Amino acid sequence: MIETVLVLNAGSSSLKFQVFRVGDLDVLARGKAVRLGEPEPAMDASLADGTRERIALPPACDHDTALAAVLAFVDRHDDAWRMKAIVHRIVHGGERFVDPVVVTPEVFAALEALSPLAPLHQPHNLAAVTAARRLMGDVPNIACFDTAFHARHDALTHNFALEQALRDKGIRRYGFHGLSYQWLEMVLAEQHPRLHAGRVVAAHLGNGASLCAIQGGRSIDTTMGMTALDGLPMGTRCGALDAGAVLYMFQSLGMNAQEVSEALYERSGLLGLSGLSNDVETLLKSDDPRARFALDYFALKVAQFAASMAAAIGGIDALAFTGGIGEHAAPLRDAIVERLRFLGAFDVIVIKANEERVMALQARTCLAAEGQRQ
């Protein structure tokens, strides 16, 4: 009997999964369901021995159906596996959840209450939990949080310059992409111990994008704030914006809350700047001047925010890229690095993201702690 954990990473229209052996965290299976809720959804899956499957999903497939397809794939190839837990990436843990936790009904309700702080992510993360409980009710669900890596920031970092009454209501900076940054920190510790002990500005650049100032393996500051809308411009999100501009949208343009939310979350960023696409590869291939403007704007803002992260840790020994853009868009990396040359010499490294492995590690620790309590 092989004890395993199933790690799920649910997006708005996708569901990534990996099956890990608990003992050594070898990957036994992996895959991704895409275009959920859209025409022609499909799932690609593979086993450690190289076996691959392309699995058709029904039209307008939701997370429940996608997870059922994942479990069916696992069941078809089960080699005496015993599933110990289903592990979920949860974007927002708020002030309460700073470590992985078994999802009870009370925990689920608390996480659901945080959905307004991560409207593009939290509902889909929790939909996967709901589906897992319905399909595999006897297997515990474990939540791992994107905010947890930043949870121990000091008061100078996590506060906004607001009156105490508002800060007491949880209006503060949390930070995100923590699972990605934790993996990056672990790779640095193993492969670049000198840099790990020093000052690293980490850049998680993808459709969602942020920076993190890491010193001695700890998050000191990050560009995202209370929600995943702050900081860098992203694929469709605006990033940092004058709060007065939002008031203007309400008071002078007559926009309602839903219209403002859609504008800032879904029609801004690279898509809004270019009017063409939120996909960096598409923009890099385009000869439209609007594409070049959007990419130049992105590179400038990443460099400006990277300089502010360096200020938070007293300098920079390395700039570490990760995420889809960070790993694959070399022209953008080069443009960002060139704008930061005024900071002096620093190493530039690229680290492949692996949030799922961090989640498996956290789940193993959580299971061991639960076993000790029982």
Side-chain angles (χ1 to χ4, degrees), residues 183-194 196 357:
W183 173 249
L184 184 147
E185 179 269 327
M186 292 167 62
V187 172
L188 287 175
E190 181 178 342
Q191 300 181 10
H192 307 277
R194 176 184 64 84
H196 181 267
R357 189 167 186 83

Side-chain angles (χ1 to χ4, degrees), residues 16-221:
K16 294 190 289 186
F17 76 91
Q18 290 190 38
V19 178
F20 290 86
R21 181 161 41 203
V22 172
D24 54 15
L25 295 185
D26 280 352
V27 178
L28 304 177
R30 69 175 79 219
K32 183 177 182 179
V34 297
R35 298 188 297 277
L36 303 183
E38 302 173 14
E40 300 182 0
M43 185 172 81
D44 288 312
S46 62
L47 299 171
D49 64 7
T51 301
R52 295 180 177 275
E53 289 188 23
R54 176 78 169 176
I55 301 164
L57 299 172
C61 175
D62 58 14
H63 286 82
D64 283 51
T65 307
L67 180 56
V70 170
L71 294 173
F73 171 80
V74 170
D75 188 57
R76 285 196 302 276
H77 300 285
D78 186 336
D79 187 13
W81 297 350
R82 178 179 172 228
M83 196 177 295
K84 294 280 291 180
I86 301 175
V87 191
H88 303 264
R89 175 193 175 213
I90 305 295
V91 165
H92 216 305
E95 294 183 277
R96 172 179 172 184
F97 299 105
V98 299
D99 294 299
V101 63
V102 173
V103 182
T104 64
E106 188 267 337
V107 167
F108 186 91
L111 296 176
E112 199 169 34
L114 295 170
S115 291
L117 303 185
L120 292 189
H121 302 87
Q122 200 88 342
H124 302 294
N125 300 158
L126 295 177
V129 177
T130 299
R133 291 162 74 178
R134 183 158 45 246
L135 295 168
M136 299 284 288
D138 57 333
V139 178
N141 288 268
I142 294 175
C144 300
F145 301 99
D146 248 349
T147 47
F149 187 65
H150 312 293
R152 293 168 179 86
H153 284 175
D154 66 27
L156 285 175
T157 301
H158 75 234
N159 274 298
F160 289 118
L162 295 171
E163 61 177 318
Q164 188 67 49
L166 290 173
R167 286 182 281 145
D168 289 343
K169 295 181 185 299
I171 300 179
R172 51 159 288 181
R173 301 179 71 242
Y174 294 95
F176 300 89
H177 295 135
L179 295 168
S180 177
Y181 289 129
Q182 185 168 350
W183 173 249
L184 184 147
E185 179 269 327
M186 292 167 62
V187 172
L188 287 175
E190 181 178 342
Q191 300 181 10
H192 307 277
R194 176 184 64 84
L195 298 179
H196 181 267
R199 303 160 301 178
V200 177
V201 175
H204 177 102
L205 305 181
N207 197 47
S210 70
L211 300 169
C212 183
I214 301 175
Q215 187 169 30
R218 292 180 54 246
S219 172
I220 304 300
D221 199 359

